[in-house]
Amino acid sequence: MLVAAAVCPCPPLLVPEVAAGAAPELDAARAACADALGVLAAARPDRLMVLGPAEQGGHYPQGTRGSFRGFGVDLDVRLGLGDAPGPELPASLAVAAWLLERTGWTDAPVEGVAVDADLPAGQCAELGTEITGGTGRIALLVMGDGSASRTLKAPGYLDDRAAPFDAEAARALGAADLSALAALDAGLARELQASGRAPWQVLASAAEGAGLDGTLLYDEAPYGVGYLVAAWS
């Protein structure tokens, strides 16, 4: 049973050491993420599942390590307690691990699931059902960005479709509108480089029947990329 969810952006720039001199520009986003994680803790889950976009899907057990060395920073993170062997966390899950460490998460065991950023909506729905198909109280931390095409200097350059896409995603996340999230256009998301589409659609499926209400905590586009923070409880 899904009892709570938090949605956060996943740019490595969220980590101050990576952002360096530009770190203060995302202080409000970091504060919103901390508030969203507080909602997860208040729900007292038995297990926390962390979802994040990646080039290919995969499962990462508690204790899996990650790092930001690929971004020029000698900083390591770990997903929850323990020490699990195996591949390092993809970037989105490394950012999630950093957020959890920053807020001192010890409320429940943690597992990570990398979601193929191009996963079709139907398979996202199947994954969401699988994640919440077991027993116990489950919370989700869902990482992912909106479009990367909001300004001329954005990674994906300016695209007039980006702002409406992000506005609908923000509305749906803030309202916990499962149907609207499930209906997000995968092809358009790919063209706009919106990495959150697939994880958000996994969330929409996982939340079916849970009766959660949503609150939008942050909606901005620094660097021309849509960053959204929401909490469901």
Side-chain angles (χ1 to χ4, degrees):
M1 175 183 177
L2 184 67
V3 295
V7 175
C8 295
C10 59
L13 287 174
L14 205 59
V15 179
E17 291 87 343
V18 176
E25 297 176 16
L26 291 180
D27 279 348
R30 295 183 192 99
C33 290
D35 290 343
L37 289 179
V39 172
L40 297 185
R44 303 181 65 181
D46 299 316
R47 184 161 48 107
L48 174 64
M49 301 291 291
V50 182
L51 311 179
E55 292 185 0
Q56 60 182 19
H59 178 264
Y60 296 84
Q62 176 159 291
T64 302
R65 294 182 177 273
S67 82
F68 295 94
R69 289 189 175 88
F71 302 95
V73 175
D74 187 13
L75 176 64
D76 296 324
V77 292
R78 185 166 52 191
L79 192 64
L81 304 176
D83 191 5
E88 281 198 346
L89 298 169
S92 64
L93 296 185
V95 173
W98 177 83
L99 285 172
L100 292 169
E101 289 183 359
R102 179 175 183 257
T103 54
W105 178 272
T106 57
D107 299 88
V110 184
E111 300 174 51
V113 177
V115 181
D116 184 333
D118 291 326
L119 195 68
Q123 293 181 42
C124 290
E126 293 173 3
L127 180 56
T129 301
E130 177 185 330
I131 286 173
T132 53
T135 59
R137 296 166 57 84
I138 297 174
L140 293 180
L141 172 55
V142 182
M143 310 298 291
D145 299 339
S147 72
S149 302
R150 293 278 292 273
T151 66
L152 291 173
K153 294 184 178 180
Y157 196 66
L158 178 64
D159 190 313
D160 291 340
R161 301 170 298 173
F165 177 93
D166 287 346
E168 174 59 8
R171 187 204 64 77
L173 290 170
D177 187 335
L178 309 186
S179 296
L181 290 172
L184 290 174
D185 189 310
L188 177 59
R190 185 183 308 110
E191 292 174 12
L192 298 176
Q193 301 180 30
S195 68
R197 189 275 310 171
W200 298 338
Q201 290 185 327
V202 175
L203 166 62
S205 173
E208 285 287 349
L212 302 182
D213 294 322
T215 302
L216 188 66
L217 301 175
Y218 182 86
D219 176 10
E220 299 290 344
Y223 318 115
V225 181
Y227 296 153
L228 305 171
V229 180
W232 293 12
S233 62

